[in-house]
Amino acid sequence: MILTGGVMAVVTGSAMVIASPELHEGWSLFAFGALFLIGLAFTLSIYNDQRALRADVAGGIKLWRDGRVHAMTVSEDSDSGRSNYRVEIAIDPAPDSDIDIDTDPPSPLSFAVDSNCYHSIAQGDRVRIAYTPHQVALLNLVNGNRECVTVAGCNPAIPPSP
């Protein structure tokens, strides 16, 4: 869908340049070229993120792991003034082996979460998480009877259920 939108934008821009003789000057061709490159970079970025998520889904990979909250950090974006919340989860070793490189991620894993999820847990809490290993995206965090659903980098996340 995004790729189709990008192609439509290129076709529309090209038609505008061809149809309008005043747009045949160098500055307008440069501007359309720059916009095309920015759009292409944006489209490729989204495509790569989607490809990683599709690889996780196609492989049926969504890992549930138990662990504990290792660290919690808040940073403020100087441009927008928004607070960014991150949680690091130390994963417990897999019960079937001492060291299994294929199934155990390097510990701790760091995830971006929304403020509701951040405030519903505390450092040292035992949690259970579901995440995708290719993207290292947090899909679900369960702390006792509280549950946060979030995806790293997506806003807004679904607030925790009571």
Side-chain angles (χ1 to χ4, degrees):
M1 178 100 133
I2 293 172
L3 188 57
T4 304
V7 169
M8 293 297 293
V10 168
V11 168
T12 303
S14 300
M16 287 173 47
V17 170
I18 292 170
S20 299
E22 64 269 4
L23 294 179
H24 291 179
E25 296 177 13
W27 67 269
S28 63
L29 294 177
F30 175 77
F32 280 111
L35 287 175
F36 172 74
L37 291 177
I38 291 169
L40 180 65
F42 181 70
T43 302
L44 289 175
S45 171
I46 292 173
Y47 173 75
N48 287 334
D49 288 344
Q50 291 298 316
R51 188 179 61 175
L53 181 60
R54 279 190 209 107
D56 284 334
V57 172
I61 300 174
K62 175 179 81 171
L63 300 177
W64 281 96
R65 287 288 195 254
D66 292 318
R68 64 177 174 75
V69 179
H70 178 67
M72 300 172 67
T73 58
V74 179
S75 62
E76 194 158 318
D77 185 8
S78 60
D79 294 334
S80 67
R82 289 185 43 208
S83 296
N84 298 314
Y85 300 95
R86 293 198 73 76
V87 174
E88 290 184 6
I89 307 294
I91 303 298
D92 294 343
D96 56 344
S97 67
D98 292 332
I99 298 175
D100 188 358
I101 296 172
D102 292 336
T103 59
D104 281 340
S107 197
L109 293 174
S110 180
F111 300 104
V113 296
D114 70 341
S115 64
N116 291 332
C117 187
Y118 181 87
H119 293 298
S120 70
I121 57 175
Q123 189 168 347
D125 280 359
R126 298 291 303 162
V127 294
R128 182 172 173 90
I129 64 168
Y131 70 100
T132 58
H134 289 112
Q135 282 189 295
V136 191
L138 178 64
L139 302 175
N140 196 293
L141 183 144
V142 179
N143 177 24
N145 62 351
R146 293 189 59 87
E147 183 173 349
C148 298
V149 179
T150 187
V151 176
C154 293
N155 289 318
I158 300 170
S161 60

